[in-house]
Amino acid sequence: TVAPTQVPTQMPTQVATVGAAGTSARGGGEESTIQLSAKNVQFDKNSIAVQKGSRVVIEFTNNDSMPHNFAAYISEAATEKIFVGEIITGPKTVRYEFKAPSESGTYFFQCDVHPNMTGQLVVK
């Protein structure tokens, strides 16, 4: 069981919910594509929803001139990683790909450089 995480109230309220956006040409799995950006040391979404076991593609745009990344963890403790993306200095866009957890639940994401930049990765 994964404990829910607390998300600060000053974060943006936009939520990305993506289901099976298509089928991969490489073997036919579900794919979730999310566009996420960082600006003024915050993400533009505080929650991302994906299908369990799907291939997740994060098209991450760093609009700041400082380094950021997207990193997903089992919990807010950020000790058990699901995925840790390359740190990029903006303005720049990068594509991250990883497999969503196979169990439904609410997980945690952050910028590893600025751990106050956080959100929830909801796996359905």
Side-chain angles (χ1 to χ4, degrees):
T1 309
V2 177
T5 57
Q6 296 288 326
V7 177
T9 54
Q10 72 271 16
M11 294 191 65
T13 56
Q14 185 172 355
V15 176
T17 304
V18 177
T23 336
S24 160
R26 285 182 267 171
E30 292 180 349
E31 181 178 299
S32 300
T33 301
I34 307 287
Q35 296 192 340
L36 180 69
S37 65
K39 187 171 184 172
N40 300 322
V41 196
Q42 67 179 20
F43 290 118
D44 68 334
K45 296 171 183 66
N46 64 0
S47 183
I48 296 171
V50 298
Q51 296 296 312
K52 64 183 177 181
S54 67
R55 185 170 146 251
V56 179
V57 176
I58 304 279
E59 293 176 353
F60 177 64
T61 301
N62 179 358
N63 293 302
D64 288 334
S65 59
M66 62 187 71
H68 294 304
N69 77 330
F70 167 88
Y73 296 94
I74 298 296
S75 72
E76 270 187 67
T79 54
E80 293 180 63
K81 68 182 178 180
I82 296 168
F83 172 81
V84 175
E86 171 191 4
I87 296 171
I88 61 166
T89 300
K92 184 177 180 180
T93 298
V94 68
R95 182 179 168 106
Y96 299 136
E97 295 183 30
F98 63 97
K99 185 174 180 180
S102 56
E103 291 187 31
S104 298
T106 300
Y107 300 89
F108 176 76
F109 71 83
Q110 72 177 17
C111 168
D112 286 335
V113 180
H114 302 97
N116 61 314
M117 294 174 59
T118 64
Q120 295 179 330
L121 175 66
V122 180
V123 178
K124 299 178 178 187

